[in-house]
Amino acid sequence: MHFNFTPEQQQFSDALRRWIEKDYTFEHRNKIIQSEQGVSDQAWATLTELGMTALPVPEEQGGFNGSAVDMMVVMHEIGRGLVIEPYFATALGAQFLKLAGGQESLLEQVAGGELKLACALGEKQSRYELFDIATTAKANGGSYVLNGSKTVVLHGAQANQLIVSARSSGGQRDTSGISLFVVPADATGVSRREYRTLDGHRAADITLENVELPASALLGKEGAGWDVLDAAADYGATLLCAEAVGAMEALNEATLEYLKTRQQFGVPIGKFQALQHRMAEMFMQLEQARSMATLAAVKVSSADAEERRRTVSAAKARIGQALKFVGQQAVQLHGGMGVTNEVQAAHHFKRLTMIELTLGDTDYHLARFAAQPGFRKAA
C-alpha cells in the first residue's frame, strides 16, 4: 500500500523544513535554550505566519481543520528540526477544547497565535494513569475552587491558559467524577516552578491553592471529563509518535554522514561491514516506526474508542522500542562524541528519550494494549 501526502500536506512540510534549515539552525536553537525565556517569540510568530497554529483549529474558528495526518506532517518536521517552541503543548490543549466543545473564542486565539496552552494532567503519584487525580474541584455556588498540584507540565510557564484535570467527585482513581477546566495561568492562587528538562524543553510544576473559577471555565460536563481526557491523551501520543519518527530520520542521516567521513585505518568506518549491518537495522526500525505512526494518525479519530486505544498504544510501544534502538546505536556509532552537547545527534537522542517517557512509556503502552478487549481469548 502506498501512502502519499496531498499537495497541501507537502507544502506545509516543505515550508516548515525550509524555515528550520534557514532560520532555526542548531546553533540558533542552542541560544534559545540558554535564554531566560527558553522559547522564541520570533519563532512562534513564524509558526503562526506559516499557518501551523491554525492547522489543528476548525475552519469556523479561523483554522484549517487539520486532521491527525495533517498534524503528523508538521510534527515530523518539528522532530527533525528539534524545535523547542510550545507547539505540541498548544496543539494538545486545542484538542481538549475541540473535544469538549463550547470554546470557540479560545480556539480563535489559538489559530491566530495569540494563545499558548499547556496541559496540567499528571501528578506525583499518578505515573501514567491520568485518572489518578488528587487535585480537587469543589463547587462553590456558581463557581469552582481548585486545590492541588500538577507535575512536569510541558511549557507550563510559557502558557497563557492551562488545561487542568481535577476531581469533583468519586475516589482518587475513579474514571468517573473527573472534571476539566481552563485556568488562566495568572489566576490568583496559581504558582509555577519552572525548570529545563533533559532535552532542552521547559516544564513546570504547578500548584493550585484555592483557585476560584467561574462556571464558564468548566470544559464539558462536570464529572464527565474522562472520555475527553483519554481521547486527547491518545491524540497527544500520536503527535509524539510522528515527532519521534522525524527525530529518528534526522538521527539516521547524521549517523550515516558520520560513517562516511570518520576514518580509521585509512578508510571511512562506513566501509566496515559490521557497521553497515547496524545502519541497516536502524533503517528497518525507522521504517517500522513510520508505518505505526501513520496507522495511529489514521485511527486516533476513530469513533471506536477500543480501536483507538489499541492502535495508539501499539504505535507508542513499537516506536518506543525503535527510538531506543536507533538512539543507542547512533550514540555508539558516533563514539564518545555522541553524548556531547556539541553534536546534534546527542540532542536528538535526548529528545527521543523524553518522548518515550511522555504520555506513557513503552511498558505502560504494552500493558494497555494487552488489556484491551479481545486481546486474550476466553479459556
Side-chain angles (χ1 to χ4, degrees):
M1 178 179 178
H2 294 284
F3 184 89
N4 297 316
F5 292 131
T6 66
E8 291 80 11
Q9 290 168 340
Q10 195 61 54
Q11 287 173 3
F12 267 103
S13 175
D14 293 344
L16 190 52
R17 186 174 299 193
R18 283 195 300 268
W19 167 66
I20 291 171
E21 291 176 349
K22 181 177 182 293
D23 298 322
Y24 205 87
T25 61
F26 179 57
E27 293 75 16
H28 182 65
R29 174 185 181 271
N30 285 341
K31 291 180 181 178
I32 296 173
I33 290 175
Q34 298 300 326
S35 69
E36 182 179 352
Q37 189 177 6
V39 295
S40 167
D41 291 337
Q42 182 180 4
W44 186 258
T46 302
L47 289 171
T48 301
E49 183 180 339
L50 291 173
M52 303 304 164
T53 56
L55 183 58
V57 176
E59 292 181 7
E60 294 78 7
Q61 284 78 56
F64 297 117
N65 199 33
S67 66
V69 176
D70 297 324
M71 291 297 294
M72 178 181 72
V73 174
V74 173
M75 293 303 297
H76 176 272
E77 295 304 323
I78 284 177
R80 281 185 60 93
L82 287 171
V83 176
I84 58 170
E85 309 309 316
Y87 184 77
F88 166 74
T90 298
L92 178 56
Q95 185 69 6
F96 275 95
L97 300 180
K98 287 193 296 181
L99 292 175
Q103 300 296 325
E104 290 78 8
S105 177
L106 292 180
L107 284 169
E108 288 175 3
Q109 295 176 52
V110 170
E114 306 159 21
L115 178 62
K116 297 174 184 175
L117 299 169
C119 300
L121 309 175
E123 301 184 4
K124 62 181 180 180
Q125 82 290 341
S126 63
R127 295 287 292 174
Y128 302 121
E129 302 289 10
L130 297 181
F131 54 77
D132 188 342
I133 300 172
T135 300
T136 60
K138 302 294 185 182
N140 182 24
S143 62
Y144 292 91
V145 178
L146 271 60
N147 282 281
S149 299
K150 298 291 183 176
T151 58
V152 198
V153 179
L154 186 61
H155 288 120
Q158 287 74 42
N160 311 110
Q161 300 274 357
L162 306 170
I163 308 298
V164 177
S165 59
R167 183 159 299 287
S168 51
S169 63
Q172 182 176 311
R173 291 178 60 85
D174 292 345
T175 55
S176 59
I178 296 173
S179 297
L180 301 171
F181 297 89
V182 181
V183 180
D186 59 356
T188 302
V190 175
S191 60
R192 299 180 283 181
R193 184 179 68 85
E194 185 189 13
Y195 46 86
R196 187 185 303 158
T197 55
L198 171 71
D199 54 356
H201 285 244
R202 296 295 179 98
D205 292 339
I206 295 176
T207 301
L208 307 162
E209 186 174 355
N210 294 323
V211 179
E212 188 168 355
L213 302 171
S216 59
L218 179 67
L219 288 178
K221 296 181 179 180
E222 179 182 331
W226 169 246
D227 288 342
V228 171
L229 175 55
D230 190 40
D234 278 345
Y235 178 83
T238 299
L239 297 187
L240 290 174
C241 286
E243 183 182 356
V245 170
M248 282 189 283
E249 185 177 277
L251 192 51
N252 276 10
E253 291 173 4
T255 305
L256 181 59
E257 183 62 27
Y258 182 77
L259 295 186
K260 290 179 178 179
T261 56
R262 174 73 168 90
Q263 293 204 358
Q264 195 172 30
F265 307 116
V267 296
I269 61 176
K271 293 284 187 180
F272 302 149
Q273 190 175 56
L275 301 191
Q276 293 175 0
H277 289 171
R278 291 168 76 172
M279 280 299 307
E281 181 62 25
M282 289 169 66
F283 176 79
M284 291 170 61
Q285 293 280 343
L286 168 62
E287 291 307 305
Q288 290 175 3
R290 193 192 310 276
S291 296
M292 291 303 297
T294 302
L295 179 62
V298 171
K299 295 291 188 179
V300 72
S301 300
S302 172
D304 185 339
E306 292 178 2
E307 181 182 32
R308 183 199 74 226
R309 295 187 191 105
R310 184 167 54 246
T311 305
V312 171
S313 282
K316 189 68 161 59
R318 182 64 192 92
I319 290 170
Q321 294 168 340
L323 65 82
K324 184 175 182 179
F325 180 87
V326 169
Q328 290 179 347
Q329 291 295 319
V331 166
Q332 290 186 9
L333 290 173
H334 273 84
M337 292 180 60
V339 293
T340 63
N341 285 333
E342 288 71 21
V343 178
Q344 191 166 349
H347 293 259
H348 274 115
F349 182 42
K350 290 174 183 177
R351 179 57 190 152
L352 287 170
T353 300
M354 289 301 296
I355 287 174
E356 203 268 339
L357 297 173
T358 304
L359 293 178
D361 62 10
T362 302
D363 290 342
Y364 170 82
H365 279 285
L366 282 173
R368 185 177 186 244
F369 175 83
Q372 295 306 306
F375 179 76
R376 293 183 177 90
K377 294 182 179 180

